[in-house]
Amino acid sequence: MSDETTARGDSQLPALQVNKVWLAYETSGAGDPVVLVHGNWGDHEVWDQVVPLLARNRRVITYDRRGYSASERPPGPRRIKDHDVEDLAGIIARVADGPAHVVGHSFGA
C-alpha cells in the first residue's frame, strides 16, 4: 500500500500510514483543527456526541489509536503507548496540516 489516504480492511474510514502503522481517522466541519484522542476503552466513536457540536466552528479530527478498532495493530508485544505521541504528531501533521488543538480523555489525555 502507498502512503496515501486509503481504506483499511472492512472499515469505511480513510486511513494513512503513520510511523509504519495504518491509522484510521475521520474528519468533520471546517475551521481551526481540533484532534480528539480516545482512551483505552473505546475508539474514535466515543466522541460521536461531541463532534457535531465542535464541527460547527472547527475542523474536527478523530482517529483510532494504533491497535484499536479500524487502525492497524502491529505484530509483537502490545506496547501501543510507546508510539502514542508520535502517532498523534503524524495525524496533526498530515490530517490537520499544521498546528491543532488537542483534546483527550482517560489514557488519550
Side-chain angles (χ1 to χ4, degrees):
M1 293 183 131
S2 71
D3 200 352
E4 300 173 6
T5 302
T6 183
R8 273 223 24 96
D10 295 337
S11 172
Q12 296 302 310
L13 296 177
L16 56 89
Q17 195 171 39
V18 175
N19 301 317
K20 301 178 183 178
V21 174
W22 288 95
L23 301 177
Y25 69 94
E26 197 166 50
T27 63
S28 301
D32 289 341
V34 59
V35 180
L36 306 179
V37 186
H38 68 83
N40 281 350
W41 300 104
D43 58 17
H44 74 281
E45 292 178 346
V46 302
W47 297 106
D48 282 356
Q49 292 182 359
V50 176
V51 169
L53 301 172
L54 289 174
R56 293 177 188 168
N57 301 316
R58 302 262 190 253
R59 180 168 179 230
V60 181
I61 302 160
T62 57
Y63 71 102
D64 291 334
R65 292 173 35 224
R66 67 172 55 209
Y68 289 86
S69 196
S71 288
E72 183 179 12
R73 179 179 180 180
R78 188 174 175 98
R79 296 188 58 175
I80 294 167
K81 66 182 179 187
D82 293 345
H83 302 283
D84 280 335
V85 173
E86 294 88 357
D87 291 350
L88 174 60
I91 292 289
I92 291 170
R94 306 258 313 282
V95 181
D97 195 27
H101 303 277
V102 177
V103 178
H105 76 85
S106 188
F107 192 82

